[in-house]
Amino acid sequence: MASYASASFMLLLLLHLWSCSEALPGGHLVDPTCPPEWPSAAAMSSDSEPSCHCQPPAPHIPVAVFPYDVDPMQFALNLEFTEAEFFLHAAFGVGLDKIAPKLALGGPPPVGARKANLDEVTWHIVAEFGLQEIGHVRAIQRTVGGIPRPLIDLSAHNFARIMDEAFGYHLNPPFDPYINSLNFLLASYVVPYLGLNGYVGTNPIIDGYETKKLLAGLLGVEAGQDAVFRGLLLERLGEAVPPYGNITVAEFADRTSALRNRLGRCGVKDEGLTVPRELGAEGAICTNLLSADGDSLSYARTPAELLRILYLTGDEHMPGGFYPEGANGRIARSFLSK
């Protein structure tokens, strides 16, 4: 009875949300559950006198965007498009083509993305993250210019293939990320962490002050998203994932991380939700909420490493996986021409 009531509430909430979104200019979505008279921190602070120390000091190198900043930041759009479409479709049943069509820059719609069966808390998280990704795509395009959205395979079949590769055999029934909240969280473990890796790897090779500001802002939110997903899964660490017998959340995470290490072919840059104590923070703990190295610093990955993983081929020259026709941008396409 409780599950029926919850499902009914979510249906009414989504119908209300959809009706609100259609009534707004530009297709912007709103959350009807927000209190109408919420005294935000911004509103309460609006009358305060601005300080002369609100702005950062002048940059040491007064160049906003160097020419060599553009390609690495545009490469990141591939993952931002992927996250945007995955989260938006899962929460709202529609993606950029409905909500912010101009951002796709004429790229093809994703394959197989659909609305997920999410509980209320997970829905709010995924909806927020999806809307955040719209801002990420917009901010990158505004700062360094854009690339067309690549063809992205977000089908249940593609995620089933990932999990089959991770376990080394076909799961029965095939893994479906859209069937319930736990499966969606496990599927979400796959992508945002790679965006975090990519931004850490990009930071040393860009120099423009606007580009660095952009990257820092993107990295902060991507890291937060990854931490939220890992935290939700950590709470269910020993829980078996139905209908796969005794396979636990911990094993799904471990095998996914091991797969990414194997495909990336550059050593261990990925860890599950638990590690041997000697590999935990300061060799003193075996929980692993945040994947990090011996100094608790985030791992970096290059575009080539990311493509090997995202293509599921272990080869940056051989498209597949999330990008059947290859990722877009000068860096990704350069691998396809070799």
Side-chain angles (χ1 to χ4, degrees), residues 32 56 60 71 78-79 94 98 146 185 200-201 210 213 227 270 273 275 282 320:
H60 295 294
D71 288 348
N78 290 290
L79 272 163
V94 295
K98 179 69 177 179
L185 291 175
V200 174
E210 284 293 343
K213 176 183 173 183
D270 220 303
L273 299 172
V275 291
E282 296 305 299

Side-chain angles (χ1 to χ4, degrees), residues 5 31 43 76 110 118 128 147 186 188 204 222 233 245 262 277 313 332 338:
D31 183 352
L118 304 175
E128 180 178 341
I147 57 174
L186 290 168
S188 297
E222 292 293 328
L233 291 171
R262 187 166 72 250
R277 191 176 64 181
T313 61
K338 294 178 180 178

Side-chain angles (χ1 to χ4, degrees), residues 45-189:
S45 305
S46 60
D47 295 331
S48 61
E49 189 70 24
S51 165
C52 60
H53 298 295
C54 292
Q55 297 298 321
H60 295 294
I61 303 175
V63 179
V65 179
F66 281 91
Y68 51 79
D69 295 348
V70 173
D71 288 348
M73 293 307 300
Q74 288 187 343
F75 177 83
L77 280 167
N78 290 290
L79 272 163
E80 297 290 359
F81 277 130
T82 304
E83 294 175 66
E85 297 292 3
F86 187 44
F87 298 151
L88 290 173
H89 276 88
F92 302 113
V94 295
L96 290 176
D97 288 334
K98 179 69 177 179
I99 301 170
K102 292 182 180 179
L103 294 181
L105 296 182
V111 174
R114 68 175 196 263
K115 193 173 178 309
N117 179 28
L118 304 175
D119 62 66
E120 184 180 352
V121 171
T122 307
W123 180 86
H124 274 282
I125 292 168
V126 174
E128 180 178 341
F129 288 0
L131 296 170
Q132 287 175 345
E133 296 304 332
I134 296 175
H136 289 184
V137 173
R138 184 176 60 244
I140 296 173
Q141 291 181 351
R142 183 175 62 238
T143 305
V144 299
I147 57 174
R149 175 183 57 193
L151 179 64
I152 307 168
D153 188 349
L154 294 171
S155 65
H157 174 77
N158 190 49
F159 280 97
R161 181 186 165 202
I162 293 169
M163 294 307 178
D164 288 350
E165 291 278 349
F167 279 87
Y169 59 88
H170 293 293
L171 295 180
N172 186 27
F175 181 85
D176 183 346
Y178 302 106
I179 199 169
N180 59 44
S181 293
L182 179 55
N183 278 28
F184 191 82
L185 291 175
L186 290 168
S188 297
Y189 183 90

